[in-house]
Amino acid sequence: VFSTLSSTQQKIFKESAIRAPFHTVLIDEAGQASEVATLQPMTAGAKSIVLVGDPQQLPATIKSEAAKAVEMERSLFERLQANGCPVALLSVQYRMHPEIRKFPSNHFYHDLLEDAPAVTSLPPEPYHAVPLLGPYQVFDVASGKEERSKSNSVSNSEEARFAACLFMKLRRQSAT
């Protein structure tokens, strides 16, 4: 059975768990789920739980300052890790370009992340030869400012102008 954490509290789920308890619960993205949310599926008869996640990613979204003050954005994954439960780092990555992997590996994982051979054996993308289209680029539009419209949508005219100029530059380069 696959479910969101909050859906495990629906009547149909609870009734199913009474008839056939879920002895093992696997929770993906457990580093981004609040502790309370992670506890919910355990009410379905769990005897063991596997938490899969990354505590280096963003925490659960908690808007209440009072809830943040009592660490409600902390995940069960983080609590268990802090209390000495064994955690295994999955150190081989299969999706990112090696240049993209370098930053998180250096800054969050003590240089422990590695690229799978399936990643390192890929031929270079032809567009990476264009300096503005390398695998990893950061453009700082420091002068930009987010603005909210009457309909509450967010825009940033400086970033939009920058994106349009970047597009035109790349278009001119590809024409030559």
Side-chain angles (χ1 to χ4, degrees):
V1 174
F2 293 90
S3 170
T4 61
L5 294 173
S6 58
S7 293
T8 63
Q9 297 307 297
Q10 292 184 5
K11 183 179 177 182
I12 191 166
F13 195 92
K14 287 181 173 189
E15 288 171 355
S16 296
I18 290 169
R19 287 191 306 277
F22 301 104
H23 296 292
T24 302
V25 174
L26 185 141
I27 299 175
D28 192 19
E29 297 297 348
Q32 292 182 313
S34 71
E35 192 168 2
V36 172
T38 306
L39 293 172
Q40 293 177 69
M42 290 187 226
T43 62
K47 295 195 180 351
S48 63
I49 182 170
V50 178
L51 301 176
V52 179
D54 186 347
Q56 299 297 337
Q57 290 183 347
L58 295 172
T61 302
I62 303 292
K63 294 188 177 196
S64 163
E65 292 303 319
K68 286 180 183 179
V70 293
E71 297 181 307
M72 292 294 288
E73 62 190 349
R74 179 181 54 189
S75 67
L76 181 60
F77 191 108
E78 288 176 282
R79 178 191 285 269
L80 293 173
Q81 183 180 23
N83 284 288
C85 286
V87 174
L89 174 68
L90 303 178
S91 60
V92 179
Q93 70 88 19
Y94 298 85
R95 296 184 286 188
M96 291 179 269
H97 188 283
E99 289 296 313
I100 297 170
R101 185 247 334 123
K102 280 183 184 178
F103 177 79
S105 185
N106 292 343
H107 288 82
F108 301 112
Y109 302 102
H110 311 289
D111 260 343
L112 294 173
L113 296 184
E114 300 173 4
D115 304 308
V119 172
T120 57
S121 65
L122 290 172
E125 297 290 346
Y127 52 84
H128 287 166
V130 177
L132 291 174
L133 293 178
Y136 185 70
Q137 298 291 328
V138 175
F139 299 101
D140 184 8
V141 186
S143 59
K145 183 180 178 195
E146 289 186 349
E147 299 169 353
R148 288 202 178 271
S149 69
K150 290 178 184 171
S151 65
N152 212 26
S153 65
V154 178
S155 66
N156 185 320
S157 56
E158 284 300 312
E159 285 181 0
R161 251 190 300 286
F162 176 80
C165 289
L166 181 59
F167 170 77
M168 294 307 292
K169 181 175 179 70
L170 293 170
R171 191 171 181 193
R172 282 192 302 275
Q173 279 183 331
S174 69
T176 57

